[in-house]
Amino acid sequence: MSRVYKFDKTFFDLIDTPIKAYFLGLILTDATIRHSCWDCRLRLNINDKEILERFKYEIQSEAPLKYEKGNPLKSRGDVVGLGLGSKDFILNLTKYNLGPRKSFSTTFPGEDLLPKHLQSSFVRGVFDGDGTLEKHKGQMYFYTSSETFASDLKSVLARNQILNCHIYENNRRGGRVMFYVRINSSGYYEEGSRYNQLNKKRINCLNTLKVYRYLYSDQTDCYLTRKKVKFEKLLLDKNGHYFSNLTELMTKPVSDLL
């Protein structure tokens, strides 16, 4: 019989902090949940070990992190995982529509479960799990197997003035259907065109800036460092004429340049 380790089984009973909201988003994207053995296992790339150690600390788990070798033939790197075993904990996750095969059936939690002021923290967890940022153009992508979740996410972003979002379907090998929300980098029409040449002071990748400010607005230190740094490098490189540091990147008004 495998050893049962203690942890805070009530951690997700109530989503009332940015950290809880963030890790709920990360579990939605990167955790495997099994009702057959009442187990939740969160696995991340070995390079993202820092955030798994943070989760272990926050949920007060006594379990050791487990390391698994990758498979170069499948382009899969080494991973690190944390297991959480508890029937009550697993059943509690179902109220967030997180259960077996959650990838296909998940929806964005309603405001009764995830308060509006914590939605950005949750979306950051989803982005850290299944989101990417193009380092040159600044376009962003959220990947999901649930068309409903993709639609919900697009609506949440729109309510926060993040527009130019589109949902696409991608048929992967084996017949599995994936959806992705693509967020265009520009907040203007004709990005990179003659308009850009005539308006030297404009903000490049304005939509990317909006997403950056939305994702990291709660000012916590709970995020994947490599993804946040990627945002910051791109935005500062493209807007050195207007932002001189990270504080300005987050707070300096841009309405006068729109």
Side-chain angles (χ1 to χ4, degrees):
M1 179 180 295
S2 60
R3 181 176 175 181
V4 177
Y5 294 95
K6 294 181 180 179
F7 69 97
D8 180 7
K9 301 175 180 62
T10 68
F11 187 76
F12 290 122
D13 281 4
L14 179 66
I15 305 301
D16 55 357
T17 68
I19 289 175
K20 289 182 181 181
Y22 172 82
F23 282 115
L24 184 69
L26 198 62
I27 281 183
L28 181 147
T29 55
D30 277 349
T32 300
I33 297 173
R34 297 180 294 178
H35 281 194
S36 59
C37 54
W38 305 116
D39 175 71
C40 172
R41 189 164 297 275
L42 182 60
R43 290 184 177 91
L44 300 176
N45 185 283
I46 191 70
N47 296 324
D48 298 328
K49 176 184 173 182
E50 59 176 282
I51 206 66
L52 199 59
E53 291 176 330
R54 178 65 178 271
F55 184 49
K56 174 179 159 69
Y57 169 80
E58 294 291 344
I59 205 166
Q60 302 173 38
S61 172
E62 297 179 352
L65 299 182
K66 297 291 184 68
Y67 297 86
E68 302 173 22
K69 292 294 292 181
N71 187 337
L73 296 178
K74 296 183 179 180
S75 300
R76 188 170 61 207
D78 297 345
V79 299
V80 58
L82 177 67
L84 303 169
S86 163
K87 182 177 180 179
D88 290 340
F89 178 77
I90 300 302
L91 287 177
N92 187 44
L93 289 177
T94 60
K95 72 184 181 186
Y96 304 106
N97 212 10
L98 300 179
R101 294 179 60 81
K102 61 180 173 55
S103 298
F104 301 94
S105 59
T106 191
T107 58
F108 202 100
E111 290 186 22
D112 56 326
L113 297 172
L114 179 66
K116 188 175 181 180
H117 71 282
L118 296 176
Q119 287 180 349
S120 64
S121 304
F122 172 79
V123 174
R124 187 174 71 253
V126 173
F127 181 79
D128 279 356
D130 276 341
T132 61
L133 168 70
E134 289 186 348
K135 64 180 181 180
H136 298 300
K137 295 182 179 180
Q139 290 188 148
M140 295 141 286
Y141 300 85
F142 286 85
Y143 296 90
T144 177
S145 296
S146 168
E147 186 174 15
T148 300
F149 183 79
S151 179
D152 292 344
L153 177 59
K154 179 182 176 183
S155 297
V156 169
L157 294 174
R159 288 197 293 271
N160 287 276
Q161 305 306 310
I162 299 170
L163 307 175
N164 294 340
C165 303
H166 307 277
I167 298 175
Y168 296 93
E169 182 178 319
N170 179 27
N171 292 303
R172 291 190 172 184
R173 286 180 297 179
R176 182 180 179 184
V177 176
M178 292 288 293
F179 300 91
Y180 61 93
V181 180
R182 189 188 76 185
I183 307 173
N184 291 343
S185 62
S186 175
Y188 306 85
Y189 293 104
E190 303 180 19
E191 174 97 64
S193 69
R194 186 168 178 270
Y195 179 90
N196 186 35
Q197 299 171 17
L198 296 175
N199 295 270
K200 300 297 185 181
K201 293 184 179 181
R202 70 192 292 275
I203 299 298
N204 291 294
C205 296
L206 177 63
N207 223 27
T208 307
L209 175 64
K210 287 181 179 180
V211 174
Y212 171 79
R213 290 184 171 183
Y214 177 69
L215 291 182
Y216 303 102
S217 61
D218 63 27
Q219 299 295 300
T220 70
D221 60 350
C222 203
Y223 48 75
L224 287 184
T225 300
R226 62 179 176 85
K227 290 196 174 184
K228 185 171 185 285
V229 168
K230 193 174 181 180
F231 264 107
E232 293 164 350
K233 185 178 187 310
L234 180 139
L235 290 168
L236 288 175
D237 285 350
K238 289 184 175 294
N239 295 288
H241 61 283
Y242 193 70
F243 301 115
S244 60
N245 54 57
L246 298 181
T247 299
E248 289 186 353
L249 193 63
M250 179 60 76
T251 62
K252 191 173 183 179
V254 297
S255 57
D256 57 326
L257 300 180
L258 301 185

